[in-house]
């Protein structure tokens, strides 16, 4: 067995395939990235039955790490782990080598077991499997004022496809009432409550899913095996789950941030994405003013997840934003699988690491090579269906760039109205304009409920 395979099995134990479901469901986390930080670490493996966690001990630091990996129940794998640990000249926590990841063109399903199935059900609405136009957005943590610009401007374009939104499992009453009412008006609206188990880590919230999977007979809930992770990473597990509910032959899917996206034209009618094949993926760059090497956050996300070799490989590229992605159902299902897998591969919990994953997958050509993603279209900022403003507005404003018309319309650098505007809140003036509009919508809603 090669070192690369050993690396995969010994460190990450990503997707164990037990012969049967264990009796316990309160699983322990996978090996954290900080587990092995000492060079030439010697490991000791104590084996046990399937339902009992395996304990890995780093003798040099006397640190105990527990892992539920059940793919190591044979003596052969135990010995391979131990041999690899003793012979290793680098810490196991090092990011996977560039060439190792570049050779990957297959990503496992996020299902925790072969006989697992999705346990999630909508709070409101129903999926229309054959819908040709579908939008996913993870809006957990947003109140109604923050969500209104996204949904109101979308529906104002005449959009009638499915809109699948994930919200907190304890939403404020006003938000819940609004969404429930809108499902009567917009048949395509599907709302999920997203229950999570969260902990605070260095002022950030890291979470696991609750009740997302169950055994195929519906008798046993399967606990989340993955390490606690940022919400921005976790959302891709829901995007993957939702994607499986749509047609590989008919459905085209957008993935959108809800907090800072609004619409000025119908999101499915732009020439940039017309005729999109089911195996095509469309991604959208940020401003070419800053390459990855010139942008501190994006440097950190790639280095933190993949190490310096990958950073050097991508340093001269434009940043691709992970907040807006479009494709056919087949491509989106594969892409979201890959995004989940990247967390498992890197265990990067830095806020924003999902964008590092996104750039590595696209720029590293990791998604191609299968029949799932036949083509990837990278659209430049400022001239395509999506206008991502963040880096373009560094030390400047929409008005000074001549991109704000009539105090309500944003145009791109070609003078064309941008159908989809992302990161509009990076401009202080327009953020105030949108807040005023949102408060106006909210007041009208409140007046209606009082009459």
């Amino acid at each position: 067995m090669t070192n690369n395979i050993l690396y995969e099995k010994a460190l990450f134990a990503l997707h164990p395939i037990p012969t049967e479901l264990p009796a316990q469901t309160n699983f322990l986390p996978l090996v954290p990235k900080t587990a092995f930080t000492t060079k030439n670490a010697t490991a000791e493996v104590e084996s046990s039955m399937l339902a009992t966690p395996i304990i890995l001990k780093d003798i040099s630091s006397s640190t105990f790490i527990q892992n539920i990996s059940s793919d190591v129940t044979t003596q052969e794998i135990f010995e391979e782990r131990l041999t690899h640990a003793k012979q290793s000249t680098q810490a196991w926590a090092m990011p996977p080598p560039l060439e190792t990841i570049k050779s990957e063109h297959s990503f496992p399903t996020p299902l925790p077991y072969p006989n697992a199935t999705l346990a999630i059900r909508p709070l409101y609405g129903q999926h229309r499997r054959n819908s040709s136009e579908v939008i996913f957005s993870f809006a957990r943590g947003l109140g109604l004022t923050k969500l209104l610009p996204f949904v109101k401007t979308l529906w104002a374009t005449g959009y009638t496809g499915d809109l699948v939104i994930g919200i907190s499992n304890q939403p404020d009453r006003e938000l819940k009432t609004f969404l429930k009412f809108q499902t009567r008006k917009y048949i395509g609206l599907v709302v999920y409550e997203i229950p999570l188990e969260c902990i605070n880590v260095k002022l950030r919230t890291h979470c696991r899913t609750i009740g997302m999977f169950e055994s195929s007979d519906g008798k046993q809930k399967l606990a989340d095996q993955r390490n606690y992770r940022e919400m921005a990473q976790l959302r891709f597990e829901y995007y993957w789950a939702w994607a499986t509910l749509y047609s590989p032959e008919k459905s085209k899917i957008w993935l959108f941030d809800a907090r800072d996206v609004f619409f000025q034209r119908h999101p499915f009618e732009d020439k940039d994405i017309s005729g999109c094949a089911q195996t095509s993926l469309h991604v959208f760059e940020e401003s070419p003013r800053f390459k990855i090497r010139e942008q501190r956050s994006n440097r950190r996300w790639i280095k933190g997840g993949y190490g310096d070799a990958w950073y050097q490989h991508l340093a001269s590229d434009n940043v691709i934003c992970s907040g807006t992605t479009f494709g056919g159902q087949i491509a989106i299902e594969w892409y979201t699988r890959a995004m989940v897998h990247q967390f498992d591969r890197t265990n990067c919990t830095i806020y924003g690491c999902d964008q590092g994953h996104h750039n590595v997958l696209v720029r590293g050509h990791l998604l191609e090579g299968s029949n799932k993603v036949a083509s990837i279209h990278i659209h430049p900022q400022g001239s395509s269906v999506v206008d991502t403003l963040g880096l373009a507005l560094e030390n400047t404003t929409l008005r000074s760039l001549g991109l704000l018309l009539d105090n309500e319309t944003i145009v791109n650098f070609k003078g064309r109205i941008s159908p989809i505007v992302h990161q509009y809140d990076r401009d202080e003036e327009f953020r105030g304009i949108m807040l005023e509009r949102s408060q106006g919508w909210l007041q009208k809603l409140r007046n209606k409920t009082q009459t």
Side-chain angles (χ1 to χ4, degrees):
M1 192 172 289
T2 66
N3 281 348
N4 288 341
I5 295 175
L6 278 166
Y7 186 95
E8 187 80 17
K9 286 184 174 293
L11 176 56
F12 295 104
L14 294 180
H15 296 275
I17 305 177
T19 55
E20 59 183 20
L21 287 173
Q24 66 182 54
T25 56
N26 185 24
F27 292 115
L28 292 166
L30 296 176
V31 178
K33 184 174 180 179
T34 55
F36 298 95
T37 56
T38 307
K39 289 189 175 182
N40 301 314
T42 301
E44 177 176 286
V45 181
E46 299 173 4
S47 63
S48 58
M49 298 302 291
L50 177 65
T52 306
I54 291 167
I55 300 175
L56 302 179
K57 179 182 178 184
D58 177 352
I59 295 175
S60 60
S61 62
S62 298
T63 301
F64 288 84
I65 303 94
Q66 292 182 313
N67 179 11
I68 63 149
S69 174
S70 56
D71 64 334
V72 290
T73 56
T74 68
Q75 185 63 31
E76 176 189 7
I77 300 300
F78 285 138
E79 292 175 355
E80 286 170 340
R81 276 194 175 192
L82 185 57
T83 299
H84 182 60
K86 289 179 177 178
Q87 293 178 348
S88 176
T89 58
Q90 293 185 344
W92 286 9
M94 291 292 289
L98 182 149
E99 291 303 324
T100 300
I101 295 185
K102 284 182 71 174
S103 68
E104 290 182 351
H105 295 287
S106 181
F107 305 103
T109 170
L111 289 171
Y113 295 97
N115 60 341
T117 188
L118 289 172
I120 56 175
R121 306 288 185 271
L123 175 67
Y124 305 128
Q126 291 184 335
H127 296 272
R128 296 176 293 180
R129 179 171 176 78
N130 291 321
S131 177
S132 61
E133 298 177 354
V134 183
I135 291 172
F136 298 161
S137 190
F138 202 80
R140 195 181 193 279
L142 297 187
L144 185 53
T145 303
K146 289 284 189 180
L147 185 61
L148 278 173
F150 180 79
V151 296
K152 292 287 286 185
T153 60
L154 173 63
W155 289 324
T157 68
Y159 179 73
T160 57
D162 276 17
L163 170 59
V164 186
I165 296 179
I167 63 172
S168 170
N169 60 315
Q170 295 179 325
D172 64 72
R173 187 164 61 94
E174 200 165 46
L175 173 62
K176 198 169 182 178
T177 301
F178 168 78
L179 291 172
K180 183 177 182 180
F181 176 78
Q182 296 304 313
T183 56
R184 302 171 188 167
K185 185 176 180 181
Y186 298 100
I187 193 172
L189 178 60
V190 183
V191 180
Y192 282 81
E193 287 186 326
I194 311 291
L196 299 176
E197 174 197 351
C198 298
I199 59 173
N200 292 323
V201 180
K202 296 182 179 179
L203 304 180
R204 297 295 310 174
T205 300
H206 293 175
C207 301
R208 285 177 173 165
T209 63
I210 296 176
M212 190 171 181
F213 302 107
E214 63 187 6
S215 57
S216 57
D217 59 10
K219 295 181 178 179
Q220 189 175 28
K221 295 295 183 184
L222 304 179
D224 186 349
Q225 301 182 43
R226 293 185 169 88
N227 283 345
Y228 291 94
R229 52 223 180 262
E230 283 282 346
M231 209 101 63
Q233 294 167 314
L234 186 147
R235 61 180 167 162
F236 287 96
E237 295 159 48
Y238 271 87
Y239 289 165
W240 170 79
W242 295 339
T244 66
L245 303 176
Y246 286 92
S247 168
E249 292 79 30
K250 297 181 179 180
S251 301
K252 308 293 192 299
I253 301 173
W254 272 107
L255 311 179
F256 284 128
D257 286 348
R259 178 182 58 83
D260 56 0
V261 166
F262 83 101
F263 303 88
Q264 301 185 124
R265 293 286 187 272
H266 196 290
F268 284 83
E269 295 179 354
D270 192 88
K271 62 180 179 59
D272 284 349
I273 59 170
S274 62
C276 173
Q278 292 303 101
T279 56
S280 291
L281 193 72
H282 293 254
V283 297
F284 302 90
E285 289 184 334
E286 299 198 33
S287 173
R289 291 177 60 198
F290 300 93
K291 304 297 182 184
I292 287 174
R293 65 171 174 268
E294 299 163 334
Q295 216 290 313
R296 179 181 177 183
S297 295
N298 284 277
R299 287 200 311 267
R300 183 168 178 249
W301 297 331
I302 292 171
K303 283 188 174 184
Y306 298 92
D308 193 64
W310 264 107
Y311 164 68
Q312 295 298 334
H313 186 64
L314 305 179
S316 60
D317 289 322
N318 294 336
V319 175
I320 304 174
C321 183
S322 61
T324 55
T325 303
F326 176 76
Q329 187 275 347
I330 294 172
I332 289 293
E333 192 272 342
W334 193 246
Y335 162 73
T336 51
R337 273 195 194 200
M339 287 292 283
V340 175
H341 184 66
Q342 292 309 293
F343 169 74
D344 290 336
R345 282 291 259 143
T346 64
N347 206 25
C348 182
T349 56
I350 302 170
Y351 174 66
C353 244
D354 61 293
Q355 186 146 300
H357 303 335
H358 185 70
N359 279 264
V360 165
L361 285 172
V362 174
R363 299 292 191 191
H365 303 287
L366 306 187
L367 295 167
E368 298 103 325
S370 71
N371 60 355
K372 305 291 187 179
V373 177
S375 61
I376 298 179
H377 305 268
I378 303 175
H379 297 273
Q381 187 271 333
S383 62
S384 72
V385 58
V386 175
D387 197 357
T388 303
L389 296 173
L391 293 183
L393 293 176
E394 287 278 334
N395 304 315
T396 188
T397 65
L398 286 169
R399 191 171 294 280
S400 63
L401 291 172
L403 303 180
L404 180 59
L405 306 181
D406 306 324
N407 288 338
E408 61 179 29
T409 303
I410 293 176
V411 297
N412 62 26
F413 289 116
K414 291 186 175 181
R416 171 188 170 206
I417 293 177
S418 302
I420 302 159
V421 181
H422 183 209
Q423 299 175 348
Y424 67 82
D425 59 348
R426 307 297 175 88
D427 183 89
E428 183 176 359
E429 180 184 6
F430 195 81
R431 182 171 66 246
I433 292 170
M434 191 58 76
L435 177 60
E436 185 176 347
R437 291 172 68 183
S438 183
Q439 289 172 339
W441 290 322
L442 186 57
Q443 189 57 52
K444 287 182 180 179
L445 291 170
R446 287 170 175 168
N447 291 341
K448 283 184 179 180
T449 58
Q450 293 171 1
T451 57

